[in-house]
Amino acid sequence: MRLAVLRGGHSMERDVSLATGRRVQHALERLGHEVHPMDVEETTTERLIELEPAAVFVCLHGPGGEDGTVQALLETLGIPYTGSGPLSSIRCMDKDYAKRALAAAGLPTPRFCTFVRRAMNEMGAAAALNVAADSLGYPLVVKPAREGSSFGLSRVERPEELLDAVYEAFGYDAKILLERWVEGREVSVPILEPAGEAPRALGLVEIRPREGAYNFQAKYTPGMTDFAIPAELPPGTASRLEETALAVYRTLGCSGFARVDTIVEGETPQVLDVKTIPGFTETSTFPLAAEAAGLSFERLVEIILDSALRTEAAPKL
């Protein structure tokens, strides 16, 4: 088939997207497809109209790629695409929206408070920062609402560190979260939904940075992080984590595939984030889990593409 791979873009995760896109492109070529890689630019829509691809494999991370923007465009053009639909993408991209939906559904996610730059500028919301921090307790996390790869994220130990962390996060987004710090094991749950089948967890990937936090460097530098696949959890805790991740996937309306990131606090999984377009680099947890489950990278890409091409399923949210 003639396929397009959308990669690159203008977000802070551009380099990760390029790496993911290259790997997906090569896998599709090995599967025998005619692949046209596209970096996002002003002529992207014209090129897609001219190319008339059978489907688009979306490898864009961050704003523009995971926030429903490109999904809505592809639906307007009538081109099938991989991953979740516009509404699900909007919900998952914005941690504030996602966490509110999860809390409303009774799913575990750390307590948080939201701050918007406009409220800071026009309503003096900065006066509420210490109130929020005191209610959450220290240490806490300050993070942008709509960025990935740990950009702009800070752990705050003491009140005097709070303002700097807030300024750092606002440098990446106009909306930020203060979130309760959760101590425990960091476990990623990749979920795959083959065409005509129910979504399933590929496995539980325990993330063990060799030094410090699982930040951008630790995520994308080979050798800086060890992974336990499957995660070394008691059977009951592992089962509860899989059930929680699948409930999160369904609650947020995901389709095709997604990754649910958690911290296992004692025996309780706390959901931190949901990625509708997880990275597929050499060090990314999704392809590592697929390999451990007996799926080659080519087979993983093929399943995701088949899911995008299905015609009898309900429309994407």
Side-chain angles (χ1 to χ4, degrees):
M1 288 181 289
R2 180 185 299 142
L3 304 172
V5 174
L6 285 183
R7 64 187 190 184
H10 307 288
S11 80
M12 296 294 297
E13 297 179 86
R14 172 179 171 80
D15 289 344
V16 180
S17 171
L18 288 171
T20 290
R22 280 193 298 269
R23 198 172 181 208
V24 168
Q25 174 193 344
H26 295 154
L28 290 170
E29 289 172 343
R30 288 192 293 271
L31 290 166
H33 299 294
E34 175 191 333
V35 185
H36 297 259
M38 293 185 184
D39 199 339
V40 174
E41 54 190 2
E42 289 184 5
T43 59
T44 297
T45 302
E46 292 178 8
R47 291 177 63 198
L48 286 170
I49 292 171
E50 292 172 1
L51 185 63
E52 295 183 338
V56 170
F57 207 113
V58 182
C59 296
L60 298 168
H61 302 313
E66 288 182 276
D67 61 0
T69 299
V70 72
Q71 290 79 9
L73 172 62
L74 292 170
E75 290 193 358
T76 298
L77 296 176
I79 302 174
Y81 59 92
T82 57
S84 297
L87 180 56
S88 178
S89 299
I90 291 168
R91 286 174 176 166
C92 293
M93 179 72 195
D94 191 314
K95 298 177 183 67
D96 178 39
Y97 291 170
K99 286 168 68 68
R100 290 180 189 276
L102 297 181
L107 293 167
T109 187
R111 289 187 300 110
F112 70 103
C113 297
T114 305
F115 285 85
V116 179
R117 182 183 290 132
R118 184 168 185 174
M120 301 284 280
N121 293 339
E122 298 179 7
M123 304 176 189
L129 282 170
N130 287 329
V131 175
D134 289 343
S135 71
L136 296 171
Y138 290 93
L140 56 83
V141 175
V142 179
K143 62 176 74 170
R146 294 163 292 204
E147 275 292 352
S149 294
S150 301
F151 286 117
L153 183 148
S154 303
R155 173 180 159 124
V156 178
E157 302 278 354
R158 299 179 298 275
E160 54 267 29
E161 300 171 354
L162 180 60
L163 205 53
D164 284 343
V166 166
Y167 284 136
E168 172 76 10
F170 271 131
Y172 292 86
D173 194 4
K175 178 161 64 169
I176 67 170
L177 303 183
L178 275 61
E179 184 179 78
R180 179 177 74 87
W181 175 265
V182 179
E183 197 69 49
R185 295 181 174 186
E186 189 163 356
V187 182
S188 173
V189 188
I191 295 174
L192 186 63
E193 186 178 4
E197 298 180 23
R200 68 176 189 267
L202 282 179
L204 306 180
V205 183
E206 186 173 347
I207 298 162
R208 300 171 175 174
R210 293 188 178 180
E211 292 183 13
Y214 189 49
N215 55 22
F216 184 86
Q217 275 192 321
K219 287 180 179 180
Y220 302 112
T221 305
M224 287 193 67
T225 301
D226 294 322
F227 302 95
I229 309 173
E232 297 175 357
L233 297 170
T237 303
S239 177
R240 190 177 305 113
L241 176 53
E242 283 199 9
E243 291 172 3
T244 298
L246 288 167
V248 168
Y249 182 93
R250 291 189 292 266
T251 297
L252 296 178
C254 300
S255 55
F257 68 118
R259 192 189 74 221
V260 180
D261 295 333
T262 74
I263 296 286
V264 180
E265 184 181 37
E267 297 182 356
T268 303
Q270 296 285 344
V271 180
L272 302 182
D273 194 11
V274 180
K275 296 290 286 184
T276 54
I277 307 178
F280 275 8
T281 70
E282 297 287 346
T283 59
S284 297
T285 57
F286 205 113
L288 290 174
E291 182 180 357
L295 294 177
S296 67
F297 188 70
E298 288 77 10
R299 180 58 182 150
L300 173 63
V301 167
E302 187 176 41
I303 290 171
I304 292 171
L305 177 61
D306 287 345
S307 179
L309 291 167
R310 60 188 171 185
T311 58
E312 296 179 1
K316 296 180 180 181
L317 292 179

